[in-house]
Amino acid sequence: MNAIGYEDIKRMLLAAAELIRAHHQRLSELDSFGGDGDHGTTMVRAMGCLEKGMAQAADGRIDDLLNQVGWAILGVDGGATGPLFGSLFMGMGQAVGDRDAVDVVLLADMFEAARESVANVTQAQVGDKTLVDALVPAVTALRAAADKGEDVLVALDEAARAAQQGAEGTRDMAARFGRARNRGEASKGQPDPGATSMALVFQGFAQGVRTHGGS
Amino acid sequence: MNAIGYEDIKRMLLAAAELIRAHHQRLSELDSFGGDGDHGTTMVRAMGCLEKGMAQAADGRIDDLLNQVGWAILGVDGGATGPLFGSLFMGMGQAVGDRDAVDVVLLADMFEAARESVANVTQAQVGDKTLVDALVPAVTALRAAADKGEDVLVALDEAARAAQQGAEGTRDMAARFGRARNRGEASKGQPDPGATSMALVFQGFAQGVRTHGGS
Amino acid sequence: MPNRKFTNKPDDIVNELLEGFVLAHPDKIRLAGSNLVVRAQPKAQDQVAVVTLGGSGHEPALSGYVGPGMLDISVPGDIFAAPGPPRLVEALEMADRPAGVLLVVLNHAGDVMSAKVAMQMAQAKGLNVKQVLTHEDISVPSRRDPKDRRGLAGCLFVIKVAGAAAEKGYSLDECLAVAERMEKNMATLAVATAGASHPATGQVIAEVPDGRMNVGMGQHGEAGTGEQELKTADATARLMLEMLVKDLDVQSGEDLLVMINGVGSATLMELYIVLRQVKRLCDAKGINLARTLVGEYLTVQEMGGFQMCIARMDDELLELWDAPCCTPALTLC
Amino acid sequence: MPNRKFTNKPDDIVNELLEGFVLAHPDKIRLAGSNLVVRAQPKAQDQVAVVTLGGSGHEPALSGYVGPGMLDISVPGDIFAAPGPPRLVEALEMADRPAGVLLVVLNHAGDVMSAKVAMQMAQAKGLNVKQVLTHEDISVPSRRDPKDRRGLAGCLFVIKVAGAAAEKGYSLDECLAVAERMEKNMATLAVATAGASHPATGQVIAEVPDGRMNVGMGQHGEAGTGEQELKTADATARLMLEMLVKDLDVQSGEDLLVMINGVGSATLMELYIVLRQVKRLCDAKGINLARTLVGEYLTVQEMGGFQMCIARMDDELLELWDAPCCTPALTLC
Ligand SMILES: Nc1ncnc2c1ncn2[C@@H]1O[C@H](COP(=O)(O)OP(=O)(O)O)[C@@H](O)[C@H]1O
Ligand SMILES: Nc1ncnc2c1ncn2[C@@H]1O[C@H](COP(=O)(O)OP(=O)(O)O)[C@@H](O)[C@H]1O
Ligand SMILES: [Mg+2]
Ligand SMILES: [Mg+2]
Ligand SMILES: [Mg+2]
Ligand SMILES: [Mg+2]
């Protein structure tokens, strides 16, 4: 698949939402370890907002779709998750502009913009045990795949794999941002819930495209 | 001994204070059972007030001595104990008037007045598991001894014995006044702390006279 | 129960808290005589003085209501214990004036005993003092035999309207009449979800197991209607309001003043949620929720739960309720 | 931790508490738009508007400070969670006026993120909004790197003086300058003696074993200086005041505003006892305890302990502090 369109993006979003819902208990469990135990329920609410945002989008424009979704997630009113995931989608939406087909290079641009948009709201870096630890390697992997001229689906698969590895890698980190940071060294031993969510989102994106591409 | 004077009354008061101090832990323990566990410490404070009252009394007048002691105990600021024991001494003081020698008949009058003075502040009756259960039989015994023309010391001994029996008898009662009343039937099983104090006071009175009389 | 409180020597608690209390409100109150809490600026001698007494440990009650529009003097006792008659007599003598003095007494044995002795002494001294007794706790069944009904946070209503009446220049008999009308038209019910301890001795004064509640438990752990499973805010509010409205025989169309008084560790969050349900229930009954008060006005250390106080208001009582007051714990502007 | 609280469905807590909150104070506040808490009578358009945001569960903060002399709009979030940027943008648009809008943000990650996004949107929309960040928690060591210092109850000081300045007709830049001066001259330290739980999930958000205390523990259980044995009121107050005075470098002869803020189940009794010791310590240092505030102004559910907030005052700040205000949770008359 060389490029994806509006319907593919919708499928990506819906698949991400489905995966989050399927794993919400695990996400809350992870958040109970270092945080306040609400990450799963907040992400479920965020995914509800995502769908509400999709419903409000003007038909056909990818940027509007992503902006609406981002804005709706910003409004989840649930602490850190809203601004972080909301910014992610808003950043993608701004980068896509008025294009209606997304090739692998544009996809890499979009995810880089998403990473910057997240960086706008948090100073967390790789190694701080946050969702940044899943996001940054995913975006890097996607850019590398784009540079190699890979297929969109392959690129997304690699991004998802990198996100998953990044999330797993947070297990032995001590949190330096978010509530888990209060536990300092004691936050080691479990992966970060936000990074785990981020990996699920990337996995969902790949799955969403795959259902269509049929590979 | 046919009559007692100012110094005897002082000895009675001091002996009562000493006995209360010697038993204050037991009194608080009894109050922990049904009340708030402070009866011993409150009585110790009341006895401190008693001595302060004695120090303030004009030398030689029995009524002033008892009124000062009663007023000082009223000021103990410790819940039920102040008004009850303070009223007791105030009642005795009012009844003695300007007499400077107390025979057994006057003593009976004084304790009857004390009983009325206590009745002025509480409607508790015999059987309600309060200090009234020690006070009333003691006063009755004293009056009976007076009627028989007994010696003052004998009369006080009989009063003390009756008070002691009355206090013991509260063991199987359910409290109907004071904090212990909140426990209802569960307040049964231990004697009432206030009645126990009252019995100690009567015992002290007898001892105070005995130290002088040398019997 | 472990004492988790910041105190110093147990015997110093009351003195120290009073010292801090007046330091915190130097513009409103000061200490006079034997630890009597008085106004920083006394009111005019031709206005009735309003005085009350009560044990400490229930902060901000009762001394928190000394100030323009409410009390003139509060006589704080030891922890959970009434002050003795001598300090009360001292306060009555200090308050004494041609216009007279109204003494507000909550129905608790120690307070009533002290007030009885003090009133007799005051009368013997020729002071012009009258007394109103508050006993609005409906957890004790009969309204006709109110001797056993305790005085709970509803005393605040009586102090407020009597204080406002005094400030407006009502005579002593008029102040007493207003206070008694308020008293007869109010009803309080408490619910406890967690116990409390005596801050000096650490002794448990009330106990409620986890997940249970006791409707009617008094301010010092006095027995209530017994333990039951902890219910939702809505169910509990309904249960309590029904009992109160029935006891006071409130009719559709009447004006109610409602106070939701947190007694210690209850959160304001809960109290507001309860008020919301009270409003809905009143609406359904056609009762007008005319005035409300939500907060901690009379506490019992770390006790969980709240007191719901309702009062049937007439125009005069509403006017007196709305009159401005400026005290450490209640300011209406 | 067992939930001993009166609530209904966990998801309804915030809506229900806001409903009750405005019912309790109909003369002062109302809800507008998406659960924004606004004044019942808006101020004039030629006065700067003051807006804040923050998680719920800390009642009476922050919505309790909406009213004349303090806030114009409060944007309450979910329990312990910042509101998202959309509702904040809605509030800023509602508050928008020629005189401008001052946004007070407490330094907590969620609030800061929301404010960042909202401020960017507001600027894109051409709104005249400026922001002040409060981060006065000295439990995080360095004053020079305040990024990590959290915003605690001291926000009340900033809201009070900025609100008074706005009411007096100060320009936006002048309001901002006053707010920032207040912020730079204040310091807060918390101590916890008992933990707290999330009212919706029941999850423990802070834990302190019996007989222990944790100086510096934050509003959401953020790590403090670590556990130690529970000390007396006097020793604890001394320990905390010394740290605060050192951090803020308060000199003899300076005027201090001190707040002792109970965070939940601490009793007023304790808070007054602590204030008394603060006064003694200030006297010994020649520091003038110019103003005090004792009570529950920003709570954390049933958490035990308190926050001690101090602020160095100059004449203008004192004048702004003394200006009248009339809000649900703070009234100066
Ligand atoms: N300041 C921050 N910067 C980056 N990521 C953060 C930050 N705070 C939280 N996160 C991420 O959010 C996750 C927690 O999300 P969630 O539980 O929904 O929010 P909250 O911490 O407000 O309860 C963390 O695991 C972390 O990945
Ligand atoms: N209303 C009352 N009438 C008669 N006696 C009472 C009353 N209340 C308490 N008492 C007596 O006082 C005793 C308790 O005294 P104390 O513990 O000092 O006072 P408190 O109950 O205020 O803590 C009881 O054992 C009882 O004998
Ligand atoms: Mg969380
Ligand atoms: Mg959260
Ligand atoms: Mg007792
Ligand atoms: Mg007692």
Side-chain angles (χ1 to χ4, degrees):
Chain A
M1 203 181 310
N2 286 331
I4 54 179
Y6 187 77
E7 293 301 325
D8 297 292
I9 303 279
K10 276 173 85 169
R11 272 188 284 271
M12 286 166 71
L13 295 170
L14 291 172
E18 204 176 310
L19 258 186
I20 290 289
R21 288 207 185 91
H23 290 85
H24 79 271
Q25 279 186 323
R26 163 111 181 106
L27 295 171
S28 282
E29 265 167 45
L30 289 177
D31 194 32
S32 303
F33 182 68
D36 58 354
D38 66 351
H39 186 61
T41 50
T42 308
M43 283 302 291
V44 166
R45 277 167 49 209
M47 295 304 107
C49 295
L50 178 150
E51 283 166 0
K52 233 176 277 162
M54 285 177 69
Q56 263 150 26
D59 214 25
R61 284 206 47 145
I62 295 176
D63 62 347
D64 187 53
L65 178 68
L66 290 165
N67 280 330
Q68 290 287 354
V69 162
W71 185 246
I73 293 178
L74 282 178
V76 72
D77 273 9
T81 289
L84 290 165
F85 280 90
S87 295
L88 183 91
F89 291 103
M90 299 280 287
M92 289 170 70
Q94 269 145 29
V96 74
D98 60 3
R99 261 77 61 97
D100 56 10
V102 178
D103 63 12
V104 74
V105 172
L106 180 54
L107 198 63
D109 291 345
M110 284 165 67
F111 279 107
E112 280 176 0
R115 189 190 59 202
E116 293 318 304
S117 182
V118 169
N120 177 48
V121 289
T122 177
Q123 289 168 6
Q125 303 293 322
V126 168
D128 288 342
K129 193 170 186 144
T130 71
L131 46 74
V132 170
D133 287 303
L135 175 60
V136 166
V139 175
T140 306
L142 214 149
R143 170 60 68 198
D147 287 349
K148 282 192 271 168
E150 296 281 16
D151 181 273
V152 168
L153 183 53
V154 172
L156 279 171
D157 273 334
E158 289 187 2
R161 202 165 17 243
Q164 173 60 22
Q165 273 177 15
E168 267 304 316
T170 61
R171 185 185 288 274
D172 299 323
M173 298 176 183
R176 278 198 289 265
F177 281 78
R179 292 179 209 267
R181 168 187 164 170
N182 301 331
R183 299 186 37 108
E185 287 295 307
S187 64
K188 288 184 177 174
Q190 295 282 351
D192 176 62
T196 309
S197 280
M198 186 61 81
L200 289 169
V201 166
F202 272 95
Q203 198 186 325
F205 286 170
Q207 279 179 15
V209 172
R210 177 171 299 112
T211 49
H212 180 61
S215 95
Chain B
M1 204 181 309
N2 285 329
I4 54 177
Y6 187 76
E7 292 301 324
D8 295 291
I9 302 279
K10 277 174 84 168
R11 271 187 285 270
M12 285 165 70
L13 295 170
L14 291 173
E18 203 177 308
L19 258 187
I20 291 288
R21 289 207 185 90
H23 290 85
H24 79 271
Q25 279 185 323
R26 163 108 179 110
L27 294 171
S28 282
E29 266 167 44
L30 289 178
D31 193 33
S32 302
F33 182 66
D36 58 354
D38 65 353
H39 186 62
T41 49
T42 308
M43 283 303 291
V44 167
R45 277 167 48 210
M47 295 303 109
C49 295
L50 178 150
E51 284 166 359
K52 236 177 275 161
M54 286 177 69
Q56 265 152 25
D59 215 24
R61 287 210 38 149
I62 295 175
D63 62 347
D64 187 53
L65 178 67
L66 290 166
N67 280 330
Q68 292 286 354
V69 162
W71 185 245
I73 292 177
L74 283 177
V76 71
D77 274 9
T81 288
L84 290 165
F85 280 89
S87 295
L88 183 89
F89 291 104
M90 301 279 288
M92 291 170 71
Q94 270 145 30
V96 72
D98 61 3
R99 261 80 57 98
D100 56 9
V102 178
D103 64 12
V104 74
V105 173
L106 179 54
L107 197 64
D109 290 347
M110 286 165 66
F111 279 108
E112 279 176 1
R115 190 191 58 201
E116 293 318 304
S117 182
V118 169
N120 177 49
V121 289
T122 176
Q123 290 169 5
Q125 303 294 321
V126 168
D128 288 341
K129 192 169 187 146
T130 71
L131 45 74
V132 170
D133 286 304
L135 175 60
V136 166
V139 175
T140 305
L142 215 147
R143 171 59 70 197
D147 287 348
K148 283 192 272 172
E150 297 281 13
D151 182 273
V152 167
L153 182 53
V154 172
L156 279 171
D157 273 335
E158 290 188 0
R161 202 166 18 242
Q164 172 61 23
Q165 274 177 16
E168 267 304 316
T170 60
R171 185 185 290 274
D172 299 322
M173 297 177 183
R176 277 198 290 264
F177 280 79
R179 291 179 209 269
R181 168 190 164 166
N182 302 331
R183 297 185 40 107
E185 288 294 307
S187 64
K188 289 184 177 174
Q190 294 281 352
D192 176 62
T196 308
S197 280
M198 186 60 79
L200 288 169
V201 166
F202 273 94
Q203 197 184 327
F205 285 170
Q207 280 180 13
V209 172
R210 178 171 298 114
T211 50
H212 179 59
S215 94
Chain C
M1 188 172 287
N3 195 343
R4 293 174 136 179
K5 288 171 196 163
F6 287 113
T7 55
N8 298 304
K9 275 196 253 124
D11 281 351
D12 295 339
I13 290 178
V14 173
N15 281 338
E16 291 184 354
L17 102 82
L18 289 173
E19 188 180 329
F21 177 53
V22 297
L23 280 169
H25 307 284
D27 51 325
K28 298 197 174 78
I29 50 165
R30 58 182 185 82
L31 291 178
S34 318
N35 261 351
L36 307 180
V37 179
V38 305
R39 295 189 187 187
Q41 286 87 31
K43 70 151 84 99
Q45 287 286 322
D46 61 355
Q47 292 171 325
V48 170
V50 185
V51 175
T52 196
L53 71 151
S56 295
H58 299 296
E59 289 67 33
L62 291 164
S63 305
Y65 305 108
V66 174
M70 296 186 81
L71 294 170
D72 291 87
I73 306 183
S74 156
V75 189
D78 205 345
I79 307 275
F80 302 147
R87 285 175 58 235
L88 186 49
V89 171
E90 182 185 351
L92 295 175
E93 287 189 292
M94 197 181 280
D96 183 43
R97 57 194 53 220
V101 181
L102 181 67
L103 177 63
V104 181
V105 182
L106 281 67
N107 195 22
H108 292 280
D111 299 82
V112 170
M113 284 188 216
S114 268
K116 177 116 195 218
V117 174
M119 286 293 286
Q120 287 168 352
M121 303 230 161
Q123 265 135 19
K125 284 171 191 271
L127 307 187
N128 182 19
V129 187
K130 297 203 167 162
Q131 176 184 318
V132 58
L133 186 72
T134 71
H135 39 34
E136 88 285 10
D137 180 0
I138 68 157
S139 72
V140 177
S142 168
R143 204 168 177 81
R144 268 162 310 163
D145 183 18
K147 172 179 74 65
D148 284 349
R149 293 195 149 184
R150 297 175 288 253
L152 301 183
C155 62
L156 187 64
F157 296 173
V158 172
I159 290 169
K160 176 70 181 71
V161 298
E167 219 84 30
K168 280 185 200 287
Y170 281 38
S171 72
L172 179 55
D173 282 334
E174 288 165 345
C175 287
L176 178 66
V178 154
E180 288 190 331
R181 195 161 85 245
M182 186 80 251
E183 208 286 320
K184 283 202 184 62
N185 284 287
M186 69 190 197
T188 298
L189 190 59
V191 61
T193 58
S197 60
H198 191 296
T201 64
Q203 170 114 2
V204 171
I205 60 159
E207 222 164 355
V208 186
D210 282 351
R212 310 284 289 173
M213 67 179 194
N214 189 338
V215 173
M217 182 180 261
Q219 246 144 240
H220 311 93
E222 294 93 340
T225 59
E227 266 170 34
Q228 54 180 306
E229 205 191 326
L230 183 66
K231 292 197 163 53
T232 62
D234 281 0
T236 308
R238 178 186 296 272
L239 183 98
M240 292 171 74
L241 191 76
E242 293 292 351
M243 287 173 73
L244 287 162
V245 160
K246 182 162 172 237
D247 187 90
L248 199 58
D249 191 25
V250 183
Q251 301 296 321
S252 165
E254 292 188 316
D255 284 330
L256 272 198
L257 160 63
V258 172
M259 169 164 68
I260 312 296
N261 173 60
V263 292
S265 55
T267 57
L268 254 183
M269 180 191 84
E270 295 164 77
L271 306 183
Y272 284 130
I273 292 173
V274 166
L275 181 74
R276 166 192 161 277
Q277 167 74 339
V278 167
K279 166 75 173 160
R280 290 178 176 223
L281 296 169
C282 284
D283 283 353
K285 289 176 188 294
I287 297 169
N288 179 29
L289 189 59
R291 299 292 185 279
T292 60
L293 203 59
V294 177
E296 295 189 346
Y297 295 98
L298 190 160
T299 66
V300 189
Q301 299 295 306
E302 71 276 27
M303 189 180 266
F306 60 90
Q307 295 181 6
M308 187 185 288
C309 313
I310 71 169
R312 180 193 288 115
M313 304 298 276
D314 55 38
D315 288 349
E316 186 184 28
L317 291 176
L318 281 173
E319 190 194 319
L320 294 168
W321 178 260
D322 289 339
C325 65
C326 189
T327 71
L330 185 68
T331 300
L332 297 182
C333 54
Chain D
M1 188 171 289
N3 196 343
R4 293 175 137 180
K5 288 171 196 162
F6 287 113
T7 55
N8 299 304
K9 276 196 252 126
D11 282 351
D12 295 338
I13 289 177
V14 173
N15 281 337
E16 291 185 353
L17 103 81
L18 289 173
E19 189 181 329
F21 177 52
V22 297
L23 280 170
H25 308 283
D27 50 325
K28 299 197 174 79
I29 50 166
R30 58 184 184 82
L31 291 178
S34 318
N35 262 351
L36 308 179
V37 179
V38 305
R39 295 189 188 188
Q41 286 87 30
K43 69 153 81 105
Q45 288 285 321
D46 61 355
Q47 293 172 324
V48 171
V50 185
V51 175
T52 196
L53 71 152
S56 296
H58 299 296
E59 289 67 36
L62 292 166
S63 305
Y65 306 108
V66 174
M70 296 186 80
L71 294 170
D72 291 271
I73 306 183
S74 156
V75 189
D78 205 344
I79 305 275
F80 302 147
R87 286 175 57 233
L88 187 49
V89 171
E90 183 185 351
L92 295 175
E93 287 189 292
M94 198 181 281
D96 183 43
R97 57 194 51 220
V101 181
L102 181 67
L103 177 64
V104 180
V105 182
L106 281 68
N107 195 22
H108 293 279
D111 300 83
V112 170
M113 283 189 216
S114 267
K116 177 119 196 212
V117 174
M119 286 294 284
Q120 287 169 354
M121 302 232 162
Q123 266 135 19
K125 286 172 189 271
L127 308 187
N128 183 18
V129 187
K130 296 201 168 164
Q131 175 185 316
V132 57
L133 186 72
T134 71
H135 38 35
E136 89 282 10
D137 180 2
I138 68 158
S139 73
V140 177
S142 168
R143 203 167 177 82
R144 268 162 312 167
D145 183 16
K147 171 178 76 62
D148 283 349
R149 292 195 150 184
R150 298 175 287 255
L152 300 185
C155 62
L156 186 63
F157 296 174
V158 172
I159 290 170
K160 177 70 182 72
V161 298
E167 219 84 30
K168 279 184 199 290
Y170 281 39
S171 71
L172 179 56
D173 282 334
E174 288 165 345
C175 287
L176 178 66
V178 156
E180 288 189 330
R181 195 160 86 245
M182 186 80 250
E183 208 287 320
K184 283 201 184 63
N185 283 286
M186 70 188 195
T188 298
L189 190 58
V191 60
T193 58
S197 61
H198 192 295
T201 64
Q203 170 113 1
V204 171
I205 60 160
E207 222 163 355
V208 186
D210 282 350
R212 310 283 289 171
M213 66 180 195
N214 189 337
V215 173
M217 182 180 262
Q219 248 144 239
H220 311 94
E222 295 93 338
T225 58
E227 264 170 36
Q228 54 179 303
E229 204 191 327
L230 182 67
K231 292 197 164 53
T232 62
D234 280 1
T236 309
R238 178 186 296 270
L239 182 101
M240 292 170 74
L241 191 76
E242 293 292 352
M243 286 172 74
L244 288 162
V245 160
K246 182 163 173 234
D247 187 90
L248 198 59
D249 192 23
V250 183
Q251 300 296 320
S252 166
E254 291 188 318
D255 283 331
L256 271 200
L257 160 63
V258 172
M259 169 165 66
I260 312 296
N261 173 60
V263 292
S265 54
T267 57
L268 253 182
M269 181 191 83
E270 295 164 77
L271 307 183
Y272 284 130
I273 292 174
V274 166
L275 181 74
R276 166 191 161 277
Q277 167 74 337
V278 167
K279 166 72 174 164
R280 288 175 177 224
L281 297 168
C282 285
D283 283 354
K285 289 176 190 293
I287 297 169
N288 179 28
L289 189 59
R291 299 292 186 279
T292 60
L293 203 60
V294 177
E296 295 189 345
Y297 295 99
L298 190 158
T299 67
V300 190
Q301 298 296 306
E302 71 276 27
M303 190 180 263
F306 60 90
Q307 295 181 6
M308 187 184 288
C309 313
I310 72 170
R312 180 192 288 114
M313 304 298 278
D314 56 38
D315 288 348
E316 186 184 28
L317 291 176
L318 280 174
E319 190 193 319
L320 293 168
W321 177 259
D322 289 337
C325 64
C326 189
T327 70
L330 186 67
T331 300
L332 297 183
C333 54

